[in-house]
Amino acid sequence: MGASKSDFFTNEQNNMANVFKALSHPARIAIIQYLLKVDSCICGDIVNELPLAQPTISQHLKELKNANIIKGTIEGTAICYCLNPETISMFETYFNGISNQLQNKCC
């Protein structure tokens, strides 16, 4: 069996691409902004905040969780979601590296 195209790239490049793919929907950006505003919440809180149905919100939460952008903890019958600080730190490192490299370039 042949190699897939992702085999030609580093683990870091593949991981970043997966994270960016998960972020490529405005509803997911809105969910992240909401989680930043409230610190943690249950799915029902997000449904009340965004103009989307509960199953749609759940699907977006699943995509964000699969990309390790958010974490969920079970509290009784609800799941509380919050941002994953490790992934946020990865963003910071990645974009700081780009910013530092751009400072040394001229256009």
Side-chain angles (χ1 to χ4, degrees):
M1 182 177 273
S4 72
K5 289 184 181 182
S6 62
D7 291 339
F8 296 109
F9 301 98
T10 67
N11 282 338
E12 179 190 19
Q13 290 166 334
N14 283 305
N15 288 338
M16 291 304 293
N18 287 332
V19 169
F20 290 137
K21 187 187 297 184
L23 290 172
S24 67
H25 195 286
R28 295 179 197 149
I29 299 297
I31 289 169
I32 289 170
Q33 290 172 333
Y34 181 71
L35 290 175
L36 283 168
K37 184 171 69 173
V38 298
D39 190 35
S40 69
C41 70
I42 59 172
C43 182
D45 295 341
I46 299 170
V47 171
N48 293 335
E49 182 74 14
L50 300 178
L52 300 170
Q54 188 275 326
T56 304
I57 296 285
S58 292
Q59 184 61 39
H60 287 302
L61 289 168
K62 179 182 174 186
E63 292 296 325
L64 291 169
K65 194 170 180 186
N66 286 343
N68 289 322
I69 297 169
I70 64 171
K71 300 188 289 185
T73 57
I74 298 173
E75 294 185 9
T77 59
I79 300 177
C80 281
Y81 293 98
C82 63
L83 293 173
N84 184 346
E86 293 170 7
T87 303
I88 302 307
S89 178
M90 181 183 70
F91 283 140
E92 183 177 26
T93 300
Y94 181 78
F95 285 112
N96 281 341
I98 291 173
S99 179
N100 290 337
Q101 288 180 0
L102 284 175
Q103 290 176 4
N104 298 325
K105 306 252 186 229
C106 65
C107 245

